[in-house]
């Protein structure tokens, strides 16, 4: 009898744990809002102000800024997609801003919290009239990432002589990202996983290999992983570095699956043209330099031989706002839901 009671208790406890896990996982519901990014775009009150396209869309020159940036994207796309495109005007790239919010249900009610913002590319073939789905993930930004890098990491290293990374740094953010890309919301809107294309690290060295991809260009290898590489690995993403044709520096392509096999050539070109344009605007020292990266390359934001684009961009404002939005994430997400998030993270599985 005693053994049976103990067994019943174990079954009951197991059911309670399973119910808790299901409740926690089901409490996170994602919603997605799409906004067209064109020359008439105005950032909404819920847009992360550090997002690069939001930065361009403010001020007296906002419309000309956006027009110039979009023209750069289209020109670069057509230059790379040159087959059967003699006039270099066959394709037109349309951009969607995708804003992801996460609904958390707790004892105090339901809360709709901004989480992630990305750009998705859509390609119009003017010759055939066909609309071709591009790639999501461009200009990836996240409130929790702002908190991790602008608040948590800085506080952890304050008054310390040696730089170090906090324990479990990026773990929560990585699990939230995995939860989203594996959600019904993501699968309803996208057929393939995102590509997140970022600048190479200015304190790492890159070596060019002999491998040349027909779209991505020459592959580079990094001498060691960066903090960002480790952070994105928590999201289940690997990284490869490529310098496309007529580019002046390699870019970092974060992806899951097979970067070379899972995406169409036009999809890859849409990511390259979009992200290289933004890199030229806000990191011209690297991506609009007047000299091309050599076989051994170390990027530098102190490089002086570069050209400016005809787009105004406030880099200092972006750095300041990153801290403000990191604090926003801390006050409205990290602190209020600390115990719930810790419990969810501990039980999260795919």
């Amino acid at each position: 009898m005693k053994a049976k009671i103990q067994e019943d208790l174990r079954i009951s406890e197991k059911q309670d744990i399973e119910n808790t896990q299901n409740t926690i996982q089901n409490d996170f519901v994602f919603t997605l809002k799409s906004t067209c990014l064109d020359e008439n775009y105005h950032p909404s009150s819920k847009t992360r102000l550090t997002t690069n396209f939001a930065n361009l869309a403010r001020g007296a020159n906002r419309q000309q800024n956006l027009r110039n940036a979009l023209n750069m994207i289209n020109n670069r796309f057509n230059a790379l997609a040159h087959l059967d495109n003699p006039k270099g005007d066959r394709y037109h790239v349309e951009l969607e801003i995708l804003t992801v919010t996460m609904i958390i249900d707790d004892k105090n009610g339901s809360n709709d919290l901004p989480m992630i913002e990305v750009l998705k590319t859509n390609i119009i073939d003017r010759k055939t009239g066909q609309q071709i789905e591009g790639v999501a993930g461009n200009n990836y930004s996240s409130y929790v990432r702002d908190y991790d890098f602008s608040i948590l990491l800085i506080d952890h290293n304050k008054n310390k002589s040696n730089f170090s990374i906090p324990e479990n740094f990026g773990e929560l953010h990585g699990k939230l990202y995995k939860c989203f890309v594996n959600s019904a919301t993501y699968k309803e809107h996208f057929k393939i996983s995102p590509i997140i294309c970022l600048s190479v690290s200015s304190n790492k060295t890159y070596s060019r290999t002999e491998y040349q991809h027909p779209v991505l260009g020459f592959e580079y290898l990094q001498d060691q992983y960066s903090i960002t590489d480790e952070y994105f690995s928590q999201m289940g993403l690997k990284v490869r570095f490529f310098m496309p044709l007529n580019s002046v520096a390699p870019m970092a392509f974060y992806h899951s699956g097979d970067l070379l096999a899972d995406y169409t050539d036009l999809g890859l070109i849409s990511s390259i043209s979009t992200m290289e344009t933004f890199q030229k605007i806000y990191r011209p020292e690297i991506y609009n330099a007047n000299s091309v990266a050599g076989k051994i390359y170390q990027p530098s934001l102190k490089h002086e031989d570069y050209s400016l684009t005809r787009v105004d961009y406030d880099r200092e404002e972006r750095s300041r706002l990153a801290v403000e939005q990191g604090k926003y994430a801390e006050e409205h997400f990290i602190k209020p839901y600390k115990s719930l998030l810790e419990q969810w993270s501990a039980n999260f599985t795919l």
Side-chain angles (χ1 to χ4, degrees):
M1 176 65 73
K2 183 177 179 181
K4 185 178 186 305
I5 292 173
Q6 289 177 336
E7 180 62 24
D8 289 343
L9 285 172
R10 280 196 294 271
I11 293 172
S12 177
E13 287 171 357
K14 182 180 179 183
Q15 288 173 341
D16 287 343
I17 292 171
E18 289 175 348
N19 289 336
T20 300
Q21 290 176 354
N22 291 333
T23 300
I24 292 169
Q25 291 199 19
N26 291 336
D27 280 346
F28 290 2
V29 178
F30 296 98
T31 61
L32 192 149
K33 178 184 177 183
S34 173
T35 305
C36 178
L37 177 58
D38 57 21
E39 63 183 53
N40 299 310
Y41 166 68
H42 287 270
S44 74
S45 58
K46 291 188 177 181
T47 293
R48 288 179 68 256
L49 296 178
T50 57
T51 307
N52 298 304
F53 46 80
N55 187 295
L56 303 183
R58 294 195 296 275
N61 298 322
R62 53 165 303 282
Q63 191 170 50
Q64 191 62 49
N65 268 348
L66 290 167
R67 187 180 297 132
N68 288 342
L70 295 170
N71 283 338
M72 288 172 65
I73 291 170
N74 278 296
N75 290 338
R76 183 62 169 134
F77 186 99
N78 281 285
L80 288 169
H82 55 82
L83 295 178
D84 198 17
N85 186 10
K87 294 183 179 180
D89 61 357
R90 175 172 176 173
Y91 299 101
H92 174 71
V93 180
E94 293 184 346
L95 299 175
E96 287 181 85
I97 303 167
L98 303 178
T99 304
V100 180
T101 59
M102 189 173 80
I103 301 172
I104 294 182
D105 292 318
D106 67 357
K107 296 177 182 178
N108 299 317
S110 179
N111 294 279
D112 198 4
L113 301 167
M115 290 296 299
I116 294 169
E117 239 173 6
V118 297
L119 289 180
K120 179 179 181 291
T121 58
N122 296 299
I123 306 149
I124 308 300
D125 185 339
R126 290 187 171 117
K127 182 177 180 179
T128 64
Q130 182 183 10
Q131 178 169 315
I132 304 162
E133 185 173 359
V135 176
N138 308 284
N139 250 299
Y140 175 84
S141 58
S142 155
Y143 273 97
V144 178
R145 185 182 173 206
D146 275 345
Y147 165 75
D148 282 341
F149 279 91
S150 299
I151 305 298
L152 179 62
L153 186 62
I154 292 174
D155 286 348
H156 176 77
N157 285 284
K158 194 173 290 182
N159 301 321
K160 290 183 179 179
S161 56
N162 295 318
F163 182 84
S164 64
I165 305 298
E167 187 178 0
N168 301 323
F169 184 66
E171 182 178 317
L172 173 62
H173 178 269
K175 289 181 177 179
L176 289 171
Y177 175 84
K178 290 177 182 177
C179 186
F180 169 60
V181 295
N182 285 280
S183 68
T185 300
Y186 186 88
K187 292 174 182 177
E188 180 183 344
H189 290 88
F190 309 105
K191 296 177 182 176
I192 53 178
S193 59
I195 295 175
I196 300 175
C197 181
L198 300 180
S199 168
V200 287
S201 174
S202 58
N203 60 2
K204 298 291 181 285
T205 300
Y206 300 83
S207 302
R208 192 173 72 202
T209 71
E210 295 302 315
Y211 176 69
Q212 184 178 14
H213 184 269
V215 172
L216 294 167
F218 278 106
E219 183 166 22
Y220 277 71
L221 299 179
Q222 193 180 45
D223 61 341
Q224 58 181 308
Y225 281 120
S226 67
I227 299 174
T228 300
D229 298 337
E230 298 289 356
Y231 191 83
F232 276 64
S233 72
Q234 298 269 27
M235 302 158 63
L237 302 179
K238 300 165 287 188
V239 63
R240 294 180 75 169
F241 306 92
F242 286 92
M243 186 169 74
L245 180 68
N246 295 327
S247 296
V248 297
M251 292 187 290
F253 295 85
Y254 294 90
H255 61 283
S256 59
D258 190 334
L259 178 65
L260 308 187
D262 293 348
Y263 305 90
T264 65
D265 286 353
L266 291 180
L268 291 174
I269 290 172
S270 72
S271 279
I272 293 167
S273 58
T274 300
M275 290 315 303
E276 189 177 82
T277 293
F278 281 107
Q279 299 288 8
K280 285 182 176 181
I281 292 168
Y282 61 81
R283 285 200 165 176
E285 300 92 337
I286 297 174
Y287 291 98
N288 216 29
N290 294 325
S291 57
V292 180
K295 289 187 175 181
I296 306 297
Y297 176 64
Q298 181 167 6
S300 174
L301 291 174
K302 296 179 180 179
H303 184 66
E304 295 182 351
D305 183 22
Y306 63 92
S307 300
L308 293 173
T309 64
R310 296 177 60 193
V311 179
D312 295 329
Y313 184 83
D314 192 336
R315 195 153 60 185
E316 291 184 6
E317 179 196 48
R318 185 175 187 270
S319 298
R320 175 176 56 80
L321 288 173
V323 176
E324 292 182 12
Q325 292 179 171
K327 290 179 180 177
Y328 175 90
E330 182 179 36
E331 293 171 6
H332 293 86
F333 183 70
I334 302 296
K335 285 184 176 178
Y337 301 103
K338 186 175 186 296
S339 59
L340 186 150
L341 290 169
E342 287 176 350
Q343 188 179 11
W344 175 84
S345 181
N347 291 297
F348 175 76
T349 56
L350 287 177

